[in-house]
Amino acid sequence: MKDFEFNFKDVVEFARDVILVTKSYPIDEPGPEIVYANKAFTELTGYSQKEILRKNPRILQSDETDEETKAIIRQGLEQKLPVRVTIKNCSKTGDEYWLDLSILPLRNAGGDVTHFVSIQRDVTEQKNIEKKLEILSRTDLLTGLLNRRSFDEIAENELSRFKRSGEVYSLLVLDIDHFKEINDKYGHSVGDIAIQTIAQSCELNLRLHDKMARVGGDEFCVLLPSTNKS
C-alpha cells in the first residue's frame, strides 16, 4: 500500500483548477474570509497567497460581475448549499476572465458547516469563442452590417413599441441598380467592393440608434426610430 500513499494537500496545491477555501461565517464584510488559495489561483489572478489570505472573494469582482449571479452565490452561502455558476471576475491587473465556479460546504465532525471550498475553472477562451460565434450568427460577413435574422428581430421589437406607445419609425429598403451588370462585367470581387462601399457610405450618414442590415445580395434595410416619412 505504500506505493499508493500520497499527500492530498499536494494534489490540491498543484491542481490545474483554482481552489479557494473560506470560512463559512460571516458572509458579509469582512467575510467570508479566505484561509487557503492554491497555486493555480495565484497564477490566474496575480495575487500572492500572502495578499489574498484573510481577504474575501469580493476582491475579485468588478462592475462587470453580474448582479444576478452574485445573488445566486449569496443565497447558496446563506443556505449552506452547493452552488454552480459561470461568473466574470477581475485579476489584480484589471484583466477580466470567466470562471465555471462550484462552491461546496465543508462540514466538521459534528456536521456543522465551517468552511466553503470554491473550485474554479478558467473558461475565458470558451466564452470568447461563444461571443465570436454569436456575433457571426448576427452579422453579415461581407459588410459587417446586421444580417436578416438580426434585423427582423429588431424590426419586430420596434413594431411592438409602436403598438404600445404610438412612437413612429421609418423603414427604408435599398438596392443597387444594375448590380448584376457589375458582377457580369467586372466580376464578383468588384461586386463585393461595390456592396461594401454602399454599406460604408450609408453607415456614415446614420444616427447612433439607426439600424442597417444587408438582407439580400444587393438589398439593404434601414430602420430609423422616431422618424416619420417627412
Side-chain angles (χ1 to χ4, degrees), residues 116-180:
F116 291 103
V117 59
S118 169
I119 303 171
Q120 309 171 11
R121 176 162 295 180
D122 184 0
V123 292
T124 305
E125 184 176 355
Q126 176 184 333
K127 293 293 285 188
N128 288 340
I129 291 173
E130 290 175 0
K131 184 176 181 180
K132 288 178 182 178
L133 290 175
E134 173 64 17
I135 292 172
L136 288 174
S137 72
R138 304 181 67 83
T139 304
D140 174 60
L141 297 182
L142 180 61
T143 63
L145 298 174
L146 298 173
N147 60 20
R148 188 180 199 115
R149 169 194 165 193
S150 298
F151 189 81
D152 286 347
E153 291 176 1
I154 292 171
E156 285 183 13
N157 290 336
E158 197 66 26
L159 179 60
S160 297
R161 188 165 70 143
F162 168 75
K163 290 178 178 178
R164 291 194 309 269
S165 66
E167 186 172 348
V168 299
Y169 63 91
S170 294
L171 179 65
L172 307 181
V173 181
L174 315 172
D175 64 13
I176 303 175
D177 290 342
H178 312 298
F179 180 69
K180 185 176 183 303

Side-chain angles (χ1 to χ4, degrees), residues 209-220:
H209 56 283
D210 295 336
K211 302 296 181 182
M212 182 175 180
R214 182 184 177 209
V215 296
D218 67 330
E219 298 173 340
F220 303 89

